[in-house]
Amino acid sequence: MDRHPEDDSTLVRRCLAGDAEAWHTLVDRHRPGMISLARRILPVQDAEDAVDAVLADLWQRRRLGRYEGRSSLRTWLGAVAINSALNARRAAASRAAADAAAAAPDYAATDRPPEQLHIVLREAIASLEPSIRIMVLLYYEQDLSLDAIGRLVGASKSTLSRALKHARERIRAEADRLAHERWDTSLAALREGVDLDRLEFDLREACGQPGNNRPRGVSNK
Amino acid sequence: MTDFMNRPAGRHDEDGEPDLNALAAWVDGRLDSAGRAELADHLASCQSCRAIVAELTRGGAPAASSWAPVLAIAATIAVAAVAGTAYFLVHERQPNSVAAPILRPVTPAAAPKSTPSVAPPPAAPSSRSSPSSDRKRAAGTTQVAGKTFHLVAGEWIDNSYRETDFLPVVQVSSRQQLDSIAALQPYAALGSHFTVVIRGTVYQVALP
């Protein structure tokens, strides 16, 4: 898990006491891993910038003191790096979205069936209990594998697979109900002939993964 | 190190910063049961925290290899079964589907002895066959009708209870209901909050 558990806790204490040498050791040890996580989110140069900025913050503003020792230092620094990278990406995306909206406001967006479909699917997901919703979202929104989700939630792959299957059935029923209530139409009409794979694809799109356009069955994971 | 015990797991701080300690602890499999339940609720409605957990997991952060994530979300899945969500857990249950050794708590002998100040112990001990560890936890352990119970967050939990077993769950929320279930009578001495597994069914008692 953590190759230097004792060393890391000692290092943190020394860093918080203002020991610059300890800080350099900590940075040498963990910066590469932080950058590699941030690079999954940002272009390489931006990733390095984001990590260096957050490292400076940890040292200069003593933000390292926020580490509570509840995880390995490596995992916590990874979370710090990812959070920073996601913030940077969100900032860039909102700038881009503002530019795009200014260029071409799309007032008719919600009149289009795909938008309606995504609305009812998202609302149907939101109606699930948190314990089920989080599995659905980690799978369809975050695109985590069943193995990874299983490790997180402490459930077997087969159990998760069944849970997701049942969640899809509930989502389908609730989305259909909402479609009738909202627009006096059916889910099938919003998406002609919805089948399971198609619903999977729609769920991914509704959860904001438009780039992933390959319908994928649960069994593939 | 700080008074994190007073902060609900997952809740963003006053600056809107995510609870990175809780998220990292979850990925490392080190959250206690109360923290995991709180974090699960938060994650279900917080996209940015989900993204952090997902990237951390995808990026190869160690996920609970030696600390068992036993209670947590699996627990809430089991509870949801009562709400009708997980009938499949009852009808399609596969007794051997419990996810393998990774889900089992480390035995005390294999657990890290102690790493002072930066490594809280696993919070929900449940070693099925370790009398010595039971003695160590004597203050939070009791025996009733031949079963061993551990005190977790004010609730007695049957030592044989594994949320990951996904057994059918019966919620007992009133004294009358408790009195009407004969099998539960030997355990009534545990008080108003306990969870016990009897013949393949989980009884979760939470009296007002």
Side-chain angles (χ1 to χ4, degrees):
Chain A
M1 180 174 291
D2 195 326
R3 285 169 298 167
H4 315 275
E6 293 83 13
D7 290 352
D8 275 345
S9 60
T10 306
L11 268 186
V12 169
R13 279 195 292 273
R14 287 170 59 199
C15 290
L16 291 174
D19 184 334
E21 188 187 342
W23 175 249
H24 291 311
T25 304
L26 186 149
V27 169
D28 286 346
R29 186 177 295 171
H30 292 290
R31 181 174 177 271
M34 294 172 75
I35 288 174
S36 125
L37 285 168
R39 280 187 64 182
R40 303 175 60 84
I41 297 161
L42 295 170
V44 58
Q45 189 54 53
D46 293 349
E48 289 182 7
D49 290 348
V51 167
D52 287 339
V54 85
L55 281 171
D57 213 34
L58 289 174
W59 172 248
Q60 290 163 5
R61 298 175 62 190
R62 292 288 184 270
R63 292 286 176 92
L64 186 61
R66 294 187 171 195
Y67 173 57
E68 294 167 351
R70 298 159 69 192
S71 65
S72 68
L73 180 64
R74 176 186 159 209
T75 304
W76 183 77
L77 287 173
V80 168
I82 289 165
N83 184 44
S84 168
L86 288 171
N87 284 339
R89 188 175 70 180
R90 266 193 292 271
S94 73
R95 283 193 298 272
D99 291 347
D106 191 359
Y107 298 116
T110 55
D111 293 334
R112 293 204 304 265
E115 278 299 317
Q116 293 178 336
L117 178 67
H118 294 168
I119 287 170
V120 294
L121 287 175
R122 282 195 293 263
E123 289 189 21
I125 291 170
S127 75
L128 298 170
E129 300 83 357
S131 58
I132 304 297
R133 198 189 324 147
I134 189 170
M135 289 190 305
V136 168
L137 290 169
L138 287 176
Y139 189 73
Y140 289 108
E141 175 196 73
Q142 300 299 327
D143 205 26
L144 277 186
S145 70
L146 287 180
D147 284 330
I149 299 170
R151 282 195 298 276
L152 285 170
V153 307
S156 72
K157 194 171 166 179
S158 60
T159 299
L160 272 181
S161 182
R162 288 196 302 276
L164 280 173
K165 178 172 182 287
H166 186 61
R168 277 197 303 277
E169 288 163 5
R170 286 183 59 197
I171 290 168
R172 188 201 303 268
E174 175 64 8
D176 189 51
R177 190 190 69 76
L178 287 168
H180 280 97
E181 179 182 281
R182 199 72 54 82
W183 295 296
D184 196 23
T185 183
S186 68
L187 182 65
L190 292 180
R191 161 60 63 204
E192 194 174 331
V194 180
D195 59 22
L196 195 64
D197 281 349
R198 188 67 222 182
L199 183 64
E200 289 239 354
F201 172 62
D202 290 331
L203 280 168
R204 278 178 202 288
E205 279 210 321
C207 287
Q209 288 196 45
N212 185 352
N213 56 9
R214 182 175 61 86
R216 180 182 60 178
V218 173
S219 58
N220 293 345
K221 279 218 149 181
Chain B
M1 283 188 179
T2 61
D3 60 341
F4 61 85
M5 293 303 288
N6 296 327
R7 182 173 157 200
R11 189 79 53 84
H12 292 213
D13 68 13
E14 61 274 13
D15 299 326
E17 284 294 306
D19 187 350
L20 299 179
N21 281 286
L23 300 177
W26 191 36
V27 171
D28 273 359
R30 291 197 198 175
L31 274 190
D32 64 21
S33 56
R36 286 193 291 259
E38 284 173 7
L39 188 55
D41 274 357
H42 174 71
L43 283 171
S45 58
C46 181
Q47 196 271 343
S48 59
C49 286
R50 283 197 302 274
I52 292 169
V53 164
E55 292 298 341
L56 208 47
T57 304
R58 236 194 310 270
S65 57
S66 65
W67 302 79
V70 236
L71 293 175
I73 294 174
T76 43
I77 295 170
V79 169
V82 172
T85 300
Y87 73 89
F88 60 91
L89 300 177
V90 178
H91 297 294
E92 300 179 29
R93 185 172 69 85
Q94 298 174 358
N96 296 326
S97 69
V98 182
I102 202 170
L103 295 170
R104 303 239 165 76
V106 285
T107 60
K113 288 296 178 197
S114 67
T115 41
S117 84
V118 286
S126 53
S127 176
R128 201 185 287 231
S129 57
S130 180
S132 64
S133 68
D134 286 350
R135 276 197 296 278
K136 283 180 201 160
R137 291 191 302 266
T141 304
T142 189
Q143 299 262 351
V144 175
K147 278 182 166 292
T148 302
F149 292 81
H150 297 301
L151 189 60
V152 178
E155 179 183 359
W156 289 106
I157 308 288
D158 187 335
N159 193 37
S160 65
Y161 176 46
R162 299 285 184 279
E163 284 83 351
T164 47
D165 286 348
F166 293 106
L167 299 171
V169 178
V170 174
Q171 301 275 12
V172 179
S173 53
S174 73
R175 179 67 63 181
Q176 291 89 331
Q177 192 185 355
L178 175 64
D179 290 342
S180 71
I181 302 172
L184 285 178
Q185 298 320 304
Y187 307 100
L190 289 167
S192 60
H193 289 79
F194 61 91
T195 294
V196 60
V197 182
I198 303 171
R199 288 192 294 279
T201 297
V202 177
Y203 293 88
Q204 293 187 324
V205 177
L207 304 181

